[in-house]
Amino acid sequence: MANVTVIGAQWGDEGKGKIVDWLAERADAVVRFQGGHNAGHTLVVGENVYKLSLLPSGIVTGTLSIIGNGVVLDPWALRDEMTKLRGQGVSITTENFALADNCALILPIHRDLDGLREAAAGSGKIGTTGRGIGPAYEDKVGRRAIRVCDLAHLDALDAQLDRLCAHHDALRAGFGEPPVDRARLIADLKEIAPFVLEYAQPVWKRLNQVRKAGARILFEGAQGVLLDVDHGTYPFVTSS
């Protein structure tokens, strides 16, 4: 097959996971290109049931699986998901998994903001998953994001953190919350950094290499079209 993209035609839950699982058997690489860990895929392989939120579906069969730069990444959620899958016997290594080094990170302050907004919205709630995905995309577009590559030089991020915290401190004050605990944020990032950086790379290079080698690439969409921020049922849409 040629390169293929799978997306939903409605609001999600259309059975994309089943289609992706079927196509992944014929693909040489599977790529997640947008969304966060709000989209779940359930795969049934024989008697084994695998529940994925971030990792591309190809990972359970050992197919090269890539998280692209359009994804916003919660590194702690990624670690938990990988730990669970490894407990089910799935091998995840730098040979079959790669993570875009320019992914924007979902931070604890994004989860905080998501929850505060929904709690304050009352009957006007958007219905987010509360996982910080929308606020992370806002910071990405607003040029305040901390990205995967930044984890390699956390001691030199003062200017970026100034921009990020100034924005979030103002928002938190509006909700009657204290400012961002900057020291705690840095400590959390330093703790998770070695795990994330092991898999980080410029994945466009790797994809270009496998494409030139004649690989069949499957692009795995996370949401349906009607959740698209431009083409969906706005404002009840995702931010990606």
Side-chain angles (χ1 to χ4, degrees), residues 172-203:
R172 292 168 70 94
F175 289 107
E177 293 293 316
V180 173
D181 185 340
R182 188 159 162 165
R184 173 66 184 274
L185 176 59
I186 288 293
D188 288 344
L189 290 172
K190 285 184 175 180
E191 181 268 335
I192 199 68
F195 165 78
V196 176
L197 291 172
E198 179 180 356
Y199 304 98
Q201 59 183 265
V203 297

Side-chain angles (χ1 to χ4, degrees), residues 19-38:
I19 298 298
V20 167
D21 185 34
W22 180 70
L23 290 172
E25 296 179 359
R26 299 156 177 78
D28 301 301
V30 182
V31 183
R32 269 286 306 275
F33 60 91
Q34 41 82 264
H37 61 305
N38 56 337

Side-chain angles (χ1 to χ4, degrees), residues 89-208:
V90 176
S91 175
I92 305 174
T93 70
T94 53
E95 293 298 313
N96 67 358
F97 175 61
L99 168 65
D101 58 359
N102 54 343
C103 271
L105 295 176
I106 299 175
L107 305 172
I109 57 176
H110 295 129
R111 295 194 296 271
D112 292 346
L113 181 57
D114 217 351
L116 289 168
R117 283 174 170 169
E118 283 290 89
S123 61
K125 289 182 179 179
I126 296 295
T128 76
T129 58
R131 297 180 181 179
I133 292 159
Y137 273 113
E138 291 175 37
D139 281 346
K140 176 182 178 178
V141 175
R143 295 168 292 185
R144 297 179 295 269
I146 304 300
R147 301 188 298 171
V148 167
C149 53
D150 295 322
L151 296 174
H153 51 92
L154 287 170
D155 292 328
L157 290 185
D158 284 346
Q160 286 173 259
L161 287 169
D162 287 344
R163 289 195 299 273
L164 180 68
C165 291
H167 178 76
H168 280 267
D169 286 349
L171 293 173
R172 292 168 70 94
F175 289 107
E177 293 293 316
V180 173
D181 185 340
R182 188 159 162 165
R184 173 66 184 274
L185 176 59
I186 288 293
D188 288 344
L189 290 172
K190 285 184 175 180
E191 181 268 335
I192 199 68
F195 165 78
V196 176
L197 291 172
E198 179 180 356
Y199 304 98
Q201 59 183 265
V203 297
W204 63 270
K205 287 185 177 181
R206 191 159 184 182
L207 280 172
N208 196 40

